[in-house]
Amino acid sequence: QVQLVESGGGLVQPGGSLRLSCAASGISVAAYAMGWSRQAPGKQRELVARIRNPGITNYADSVKGRFTISRDNAKNTVYLQMSSLKPEDTAVYTCTAETFNRLTYSFTPSHWGQGTPVTVSS
């Protein structure tokens, strides 16, 4: 059974930092492209960051320079380090394990975590 379990969310003041973790079981994070997406109330889900072999990372323009995605294959865990947080970063953050769809030429989530809420507020 595949499980992606996120942790590390919470309440933080603007300008603060948080590190989210996504612990995987049943799959190897090294074998997938791993992503973090977020969904704020009333808004569409957006991909925040992705890491894929051989360590290539991609970020949404809104988080470039502030967020860093990384992967520890030995711990089978993916991280999202978030700095200089803004109120507009408030959302539920979800970890995904993705595979490349040759028909659509895009990455498609195969497995989802349950999400962890992040609230940026003073």
Side-chain angles (χ1 to χ4, degrees):
Q1 182 181 0
V2 176
Q3 282 192 310
L4 301 176
V5 180
E6 300 98 332
S7 60
L11 174 64
V12 63
Q13 292 187 341
S17 299
L18 280 177
R19 188 177 81 156
L20 306 183
S21 300
C22 171
S25 59
I27 62 167
S28 170
V29 298
Y32 286 79
M34 298 298 297
W36 284 96
S37 63
R38 68 186 181 186
Q39 187 166 24
K43 294 188 177 181
Q44 286 191 327
R45 179 176 297 281
E46 66 167 335
L47 179 71
V48 173
R50 176 187 290 125
I51 185 167
R52 57 187 175 93
N53 289 326
I56 297 170
T57 57
N58 301 101
Y59 298 93
D61 287 343
S62 57
V63 306
K64 279 181 182 176
R66 301 188 297 122
F67 290 12
T68 302
I69 188 171
S70 62
R71 182 175 61 191
D72 186 330
N73 293 340
K75 294 183 178 179
N76 213 27
T77 299
V78 179
Y79 303 97
L80 185 68
Q81 178 68 48
M82 307 186 294
S83 302
S84 302
L85 283 162
K86 305 174 181 179
E88 52 263 43
D89 294 317
T90 295
V92 175
Y93 286 71
T94 304
C95 174
T96 54
E98 304 175 341
T99 53
F100 189 73
N101 187 322
R102 289 185 173 87
L103 292 178
T104 60
Y105 209 75
S106 64
F107 287 96
T108 303
S110 298
H111 306 287
W112 295 79
Q114 83 288 354
T116 185
V118 171
T119 301
V120 184
S121 175
S122 54

